[in-house]
Amino acid sequence: MIALEELMRSWWPRGRRRYGLWSRLRMFIFALVGLYITIPFLVKICPAIQTQLVFLNLVRFPYFIDLKRPQDQGLNHTCNLYLQPEEDVSIGVWHTIPAVLWKDAQGKDQAWYEEVMSTNYPVILYLHGNAGTRGGDHRVQLYKVLSSLGYHVISLDYRGWGDSVGSPSETGMTYDALHVFDWIKARSGDNPVYIWGHSLGTGVATNLVRRLCERETPPDALILESPFTNIREEAKSHPFSVIYRYFPGFDWFFLDPITASGIKFANDDNVKYISCPLLILHAEDDPVIPFHLGRKLYNIAAPARSLRDFKVQFVPFHKDLGYRHKYIYRSPELKQILRDFLGGTEQQ
Ligand SMILES: *[C@@H]1O[C@H](CO)[C@@H](O)[C@H](O)[C@H]1NC(C)=O
């Protein structure tokens, strides 16, 4: 202890204490200001930083779950499987069957799950947002709700997320979703297939559905939970960018690198090429994707020519409910909302 005290005294002599503290503080402030000014240049020079901020696929929270064991998340009627959309790309998929069938599912293999898809239940392809994996808690909770309402839920980790192999890109994500859609269609018989996108996944969802409509194989409906208009508007509104929002040249420094990396997620453009029923869900107190962006998307979609023969609905959730960005699954109204929108296709 004495040795330590002496060491500290020699490093920080008594007489210079005040001066030392001030100069340290000043240095700290200089460093902060320096960092604040340097970061935009770094981002501009190295667009990969922005790409990573958009995808956040390396954030694998929760870290200690085994994606091969969905049963650990309380999903006793879920099968884990892998698909290969392209050479060198492998994606992890969870298939949750309607909860009424949970007893039959015990001890069954992938082939059994695939067969069950052709029995009389609708299928939801769930496209998750950035960060985390298909085992993320708010996602698992939604699978449970949807499965209890009588849907199959198919959820995937795009290339680069979770245990899926490949490097992330908007095109790659969309391609992975398309591959899983075709995989479902090859097994689902005449059952309706719906696409459900959440957050960044809404960008994948509208890319996918636009492509499906161009191919003349539209899904039976598209559901967008907490969507944005396009990635530039979203990045501008994201809480991360608050500290730079008034930085001169914000767009040039922070948004152009995203665009230059080929990332658009242009929901606002895509909806003009989509022809299927569209449901938008958004919580007023969403801190990640502001409510007004969801509303704006609806205002673009509602009068779109491509959607004129289809139901387009916007369902807001009051801020007092506290559903924020990822808790809409908690709404007891969800069952009725889906039943009204999808026209009573549920089996329960
Ligand atoms: C299995 O899951 C179903 C549906 O979520 C649930 O009702 C049931 O209680 C679970 N069974 C066991 C043994 O955990």
Side-chain angles (χ1 to χ4, degrees):
M1 277 311 279
I2 290 173
L4 187 68
E5 246 170 55
E6 264 171 21
L7 193 71
M8 281 186 63
R9 207 166 291 155
S10 66
W11 178 67
W12 197 341
R14 243 165 220 274
R16 279 165 51 197
R17 196 180 207 135
R18 269 178 78 125
Y19 171 74
L21 193 64
W22 272 116
S23 71
R24 260 158 240 263
L25 193 64
R26 225 170 43 206
M27 258 162 62
F28 180 69
I29 290 169
F30 273 135
L32 267 189
V33 172
L35 201 65
Y36 184 77
I37 295 171
T38 314
I39 285 176
F41 288 93
L42 272 180
V43 168
K44 187 73 192 177
I45 295 166
C46 183
I49 297 173
Q50 275 296 67
T51 317
Q52 181 48 228
L53 280 179
V54 171
F55 293 138
L56 287 178
N57 60 302
L58 299 178
V59 179
R60 299 223 164 130
F61 191 82
Y63 287 94
F64 303 109
I65 75 166
D66 183 352
L67 291 170
K68 291 194 177 64
R69 295 176 49 86
Q71 64 268 34
D72 294 353
Q73 310 311 312
L75 293 166
N76 65 30
H77 47 307
T78 298
C79 171
N80 177 59
L81 59 125
Y82 296 91
L83 298 177
Q84 203 175 359
E86 296 180 70
E87 217 183 313
D88 302 327
V89 176
S90 152
I91 54 174
V93 177
W94 280 1
H95 174 192
T96 303
I97 59 170
V100 279
L101 303 173
W102 78 267
K103 275 191 188 138
D104 306 332
Q106 303 315 302
K108 297 298 193 326
D109 62 3
Q110 188 183 330
W112 181 85
Y113 276 81
E114 288 185 26
E115 251 168 60
V116 169
M117 229 192 288
S118 66
T119 57
N120 202 16
Y121 295 94
V123 183
I124 292 179
L125 168 58
Y126 177 78
L127 301 168
H128 73 57
N130 69 357
T133 66
R134 63 190 181 282
D137 189 58
H138 63 283
R139 294 165 189 160
V140 170
Q141 298 311 325
L142 181 69
Y143 314 154
K144 288 182 181 168
V145 169
L146 295 176
S147 130
S148 77
L149 295 178
Y151 299 98
H152 287 273
V153 184
I154 314 284
S155 176
L156 67 136
D157 273 311
Y158 320 100
R159 59 186 75 187
W161 272 261
D163 54 356
S164 299
V165 181
S167 56
S169 67
E170 180 173 346
T171 332
M173 293 166 87
T174 306
Y175 194 77
D176 294 344
L178 177 66
H179 184 80
V180 177
F181 180 85
D182 287 340
W183 178 85
I184 293 170
K185 276 305 224 184
R187 286 157 185 79
S188 58
D190 292 332
N191 296 323
V193 178
Y194 308 122
I195 313 267
W196 183 306
H198 173 234
S199 194
L200 189 69
T202 63
V204 183
T206 66
N207 280 348
L208 168 65
V209 175
R210 176 173 176 170
R211 187 131 160 212
L212 292 176
C213 291
E214 279 163 3
R215 207 178 73 170
E216 297 183 354
T217 57
D220 293 277
L222 170 62
I223 296 153
L224 301 176
E225 177 191 358
S226 321
F228 48 82
T229 44
N230 59 65
I231 198 69
R232 286 181 75 101
E233 286 190 346
E234 165 47 20
K236 218 171 198 166
S237 321
H238 197 279
F240 278 166
S241 48
V242 167
I243 50 168
Y244 280 109
R245 199 166 296 158
Y246 303 105
F247 195 84
F250 174 87
D251 288 18
W252 188 80
F253 278 114
F254 290 96
L255 303 182
D256 292 355
I258 301 179
T259 309
S261 307
I263 304 174
K264 293 196 190 98
F265 292 112
N267 286 336
D268 50 0
D269 190 36
N270 287 341
V271 289
K272 296 177 198 152
Y273 298 90
I274 281 174
S275 299
C276 72
L278 170 65
L279 171 65
I280 298 179
L281 311 170
H282 215 133
E284 290 174 357
D285 55 341
D286 189 329
V288 178
I289 300 180
F291 179 75
H292 70 85
L293 289 187
R295 163 89 68 188
K296 185 171 174 187
L297 182 64
Y298 170 74
N299 288 337
I300 295 168
R305 275 177 60 86
S306 64
L307 284 161
R308 67 178 181 264
D309 295 331
F310 298 95
K311 196 189 292 186
V312 179
Q313 196 184 343
F314 182 74
V315 178
F317 293 86
H318 196 274
K319 61 179 185 313
D320 290 349
L321 294 165
Y323 295 157
R324 298 168 62 85
H325 185 54
K326 42 187 195 187
Y327 304 112
I328 287 178
Y329 72 81
R330 289 182 183 160
S331 168
E333 312 295 324
L334 204 53
K335 180 177 182 173
Q336 199 54 47
I337 292 168
L338 293 178
R339 178 162 293 173
D340 291 347
F341 178 73
L342 299 172
T345 42
E346 296 102 7
Q347 302 303 303
Q348 282 193 298

